[in-house]
Amino acid sequence: MLKLKRSTSAGFYSVQYALNGLIIDTQERLVRREGEVIRLPDLSFDTFMHLIEAAPAPQSGPELARCVWRADHVSDETIAQRIALIRKALGDDPRSPRYIRTIRGAGYAIVGEVVRLEPKPEQTDRPIARSVRAPAHLVATLACLLAVSLLWFSLGHTDNRTALASSSDHDGETSALVSRARQLLALHQSMETDRALGMLRAALSTDPVDYNARLSLSFALSTKATKFGGTFEHKKEAEALARELIEERPESSNAWSALGYSLGSQGRMNESLSALQYAYQLDPDNAPAGSSAAHVHLIQGQLYEALDLEFRVREAGGRSRYAEIQIAQSLELIEHPEAQSWHAKAMSLNPGQVVVLSEVARSHLRHGQPNRALDVLAQAEGKDETAPSILHLRGRANLALGQMEEARDNLKAAGRWGQFDLAALDALAGDHGPAKAFLSPAKLADLDADPDPQFRVQLAELAAAAGHERQAFSLIGQAVSLGWRDIRWLNHSPFLREFMDSGMGHELRSRMARELETQRLLMEGDASLSRAISEQAV
């Protein structure tokens, strides 16, 4: 197990700060002042937190743009307006500031001393908002492939039973904005997704009931949330739009697909599967719905069902953009000899795409090849280089290589995606405060309502890092019951290596191996499926 010096980095996990009468809670993402709760919008909170973590040093506009907006350039006016919004929410007077001051030529800085507070038992034992479903990385690993497959519904697929309105049915300006937004969404890149969101909102400001604009906005919001560090509010807005569309057109396959997408982005995989299956039933030509339902089967450990459905969709002439990487993932788990061929095919068909790069990098990490993982991640270009999934996996690769400073930098830059890894690193270094907050009894009790196996593995890593092996065993056991089958990922986890070599680890490995053998036998017993896997691998 890694031996580290205790870090002073705050990271993005459960930490509280005090500043001139304010208590800033990084997990609840709110500010308290003498019993008053101040909720800042996400961008405002992130900006305020960046200033707090940098205190007392000032932060320039370019630094804020890079670290908060994740952009090469944000106008000075935009940043100034954001600072003004924070000041207004906090009741801060820029002429006599208590919290944020402007330093001419240098940017903005915190006024006064920032004090990091150690978590108190009465604070860490109560349920905390956003603790189970909010962290993007916990459900994004499960939902990201679901997301990019489903996005194709809003980019041109038409329901057989309930056709979408054609462009002639729309106001010219609205139709042009929706069309351009869809083109941008098809690129699957961070900056273009943000631009598409802006265009769709502009279209709806002109025509608030435009069906295609609302449908595309639902998909775009879920894409933002699952791929590019969006918020829980994005996911809920996407769901609300989809349900509104279903109420208007209950037999629209696209609308049901949008609902399945939004539910998957929240980790509500059983509900997502039902919506996707119904979308595919409504329109068997809707290949992405079938492929995305197959991905949910994969998440739930039903690998044969996942592969069978993927190839039935392909045999029907369907095309889902990321079917190849999903097939590769299922095959890799059962150690099928064609897994690498399908990985190569996915990379060839989707060069430079964040989802494919992330999954191929994960494959290298689960095989103990961190250098190769970094080589794959280096293929991300532009703003995609700072996509949370890319940064998180870079941090994991750095950990495997013993590059602790680089690991912390990447995990911190990944935001909520890296918060559990940072907490585990601190636990290894002797600081168990963040781990205790995440593993509090109240939060663990909430797991009963969460079907996400990945979440439990993250918590198990944290428990093992804190020395709670029995708790790690229980959490991984729960993950296996929910469908976790990735033995190699556990074996090569920087936080679970010693645990997986223990008697409890061997017991869990044996359990997963039995489940995988069953799935392997089911697949090998299907001659047509086995033939299709080999023949279509090239």
Side-chain angles (χ1 to χ4, degrees):
M1 188 170 288
L2 299 172
K3 302 298 182 184
L4 306 173
K5 295 181 180 179
R6 178 170 174 166
S7 170
T8 58
S9 172
F12 281 75
Y13 42 77
S14 180
V15 176
Q16 291 188 346
Y17 296 92
L19 171 66
N20 295 339
L22 300 179
I23 301 295
I24 302 97
D25 191 311
T26 64
Q27 177 126 8
E28 293 195 59
R29 292 177 65 81
L30 53 78
V31 179
R32 294 187 178 89
R33 178 172 52 202
E34 296 180 352
E36 174 192 10
V37 174
I38 304 170
R39 294 190 178 274
L40 299 175
D42 280 337
L43 186 57
S44 295
F45 187 86
D46 290 342
T47 303
F48 191 36
M49 274 305 308
H50 183 74
L51 293 174
I52 286 172
E53 292 183 336
Q59 295 295 289
S60 67
E63 287 170 325
L64 288 168
R66 183 176 62 256
C67 298
V68 179
W69 273 261
R70 301 283 193 259
D72 294 330
H73 176 73
V74 176
S75 71
D76 292 341
E77 181 181 359
T78 295
I79 294 174
Q81 288 175 348
R82 182 57 53 180
I83 296 296
L85 288 172
I86 298 170
R87 284 171 168 159
K88 181 178 180 181
L90 299 178
D92 199 13
D93 184 349
R95 293 167 297 184
S96 180
R98 294 187 61 203
Y99 307 120
I100 301 175
R101 62 192 176 111
T102 303
I103 304 176
R104 188 179 301 276
Y108 304 93
I110 291 296
V111 177
E113 181 182 3
V114 174
V115 178
R116 176 175 172 171
L117 304 177
E118 294 298 329
K120 297 179 180 179
E122 61 269 22
Q123 293 172 321
T124 59
D125 287 347
R126 70 172 185 269
I128 295 182
R130 310 168 67 95
S131 63
V132 174
R133 298 191 185 278
H137 76 292
L138 300 180
V139 295
T141 300
L142 306 179
C144 205
L145 294 176
L146 172 72
V148 290
S149 296
L150 284 169
L151 183 58
W152 285 94
F153 290 119
S154 64
L155 304 180
H157 180 83
T158 303
D159 293 337
N160 286 343
R161 302 187 185 189
T162 309
L164 296 180
S166 67
S167 59
S168 61
D169 295 325
H170 296 275
D171 174 79
E173 179 183 356
T174 300
S175 179
L177 285 169
V178 172
S179 177
R180 179 56 181 151
R182 289 176 169 180
Q183 293 172 6
L184 293 173
L185 289 170
L187 298 174
H188 299 288
Q189 295 176 348
S190 177
M191 189 174 297
E192 282 67 25
T193 298
D194 287 340
R195 291 175 61 195
L197 282 167
M199 289 180 180
L200 292 169
R201 292 199 186 282
L204 288 170
S205 70
T206 302
D207 185 356
V209 297
D210 184 274
Y211 188 90
N212 281 343
R214 286 182 289 155
L215 178 67
S216 297
L217 180 58
S218 178
F219 280 102
L221 288 164
S222 294
T223 299
K224 173 70 174 176
T226 56
K227 289 184 65 181
F228 303 118
T231 67
F232 189 65
E233 286 70 27
H234 286 122
K235 302 172 188 179
K236 296 304 291 184
E237 184 182 358
E239 180 186 354
L241 282 167
R243 293 192 183 281
E244 179 182 288
L245 296 170
I246 288 171
E247 186 173 351
E248 294 176 17
R249 301 186 185 181
E251 293 193 354
S252 166
S253 178
N254 282 349
W256 281 98
S257 299
L259 178 61
Y261 187 173
S262 66
L263 294 170
S265 76
Q266 298 171 50
R268 295 158 63 183
M269 306 313 290
N270 290 331
E271 297 171 78
S272 175
L273 180 60
S274 296
L276 293 169
Q277 289 175 325
Y278 189 59
Y280 192 50
Q281 178 181 322
L282 286 171
D283 183 2
D285 290 334
N286 217 333
S291 183
S292 296
H295 184 243
V296 179
H297 282 308
L298 188 161
I299 292 166
Q300 296 177 335
Q302 301 162 353
L303 307 181
Y304 169 72
E305 288 85 347
L307 288 166
D308 180 59
L309 183 52
E310 287 281 16
F311 281 91
R312 281 194 283 117
V313 170
R314 294 169 75 87
E315 287 170 8
R319 173 74 176 94
S320 176
R321 181 166 189 171
Y322 292 104
E324 291 78 17
I325 196 64
Q326 296 176 188
I327 291 170
Q329 189 176 358
S330 293
L331 293 176
E332 184 174 5
L333 289 173
I334 61 173
E335 299 185 347
H336 192 283
E338 295 290 1
Q340 293 309 310
S341 297
W342 282 95
H343 271 128
K345 187 171 185 176
M347 290 279 282
S348 174
L349 292 173
N350 300 280
Q353 292 293 344
V354 167
V355 172
V356 173
L357 295 179
S358 296
E359 181 50 41
V360 174
R362 285 179 65 87
S363 173
H364 288 310
L365 288 175
R366 67 169 59 96
H367 284 86
Q369 301 167 337
N371 281 317
R372 295 186 66 180
L374 288 173
D375 289 342
V376 169
L377 296 170
Q379 297 178 40
E381 297 180 351
K383 195 175 180 183
D384 288 346
E385 293 181 52
T386 58
S389 62
I390 298 292
L391 292 168
H392 179 236
L393 290 169
R394 279 184 188 151
R396 298 281 297 203
N398 294 143
L399 283 179
L401 292 167
Q403 300 166 349
M404 298 307 163
E405 184 175 351
E406 294 91 335
R408 280 194 174 274
D409 288 344
N410 278 311
L411 292 171
K412 184 175 179 181
R416 292 189 295 272
W417 290 59
Q419 63 180 347
F420 283 77
D421 301 85
L422 286 168
L425 286 173
D426 275 5
L428 291 177
D431 180 0
H432 289 199
K436 184 177 180 181
F438 281 124
L439 297 169
S440 68
K443 291 185 183 179
L444 293 177
D446 289 340
L447 283 177
D448 290 341
D450 194 306
D452 182 354
Q454 173 78 4
F455 188 7
R456 287 162 172 80
V457 171
Q458 292 276 354
L459 291 174
E461 289 185 319
L462 189 51
H468 306 314
E469 292 194 348
R470 179 58 60 179
Q471 190 174 40
F473 175 76
S474 174
L475 287 163
I476 296 176
Q478 294 172 35
V480 174
S481 296
L482 290 168
W484 183 269
R485 302 290 181 262
D486 199 340
I487 299 174
R488 289 182 179 273
W489 184 263
L490 301 180
N491 288 343
H492 288 282
S493 164
F495 309 113
L496 292 171
R497 287 171 187 162
E498 289 185 6
F499 171 79
M500 292 305 293
D501 285 335
S502 70
M504 288 183 288
H506 285 296
E507 181 180 336
L508 290 167
R509 269 208 298 263
S510 296
R511 183 179 165 193
M512 284 182 279
R514 289 194 297 270
E515 296 288 346
L516 289 170
E517 180 63 17
T518 300
Q519 296 298 316
R520 187 182 300 111
L521 291 172
L522 284 168
M523 193 213 70
E524 291 174 352
D526 189 329
S528 61
L529 176 60
S530 296
R531 184 167 53 252
I533 289 170
S534 298
E535 291 176 352
Q536 297 180 35
V538 294

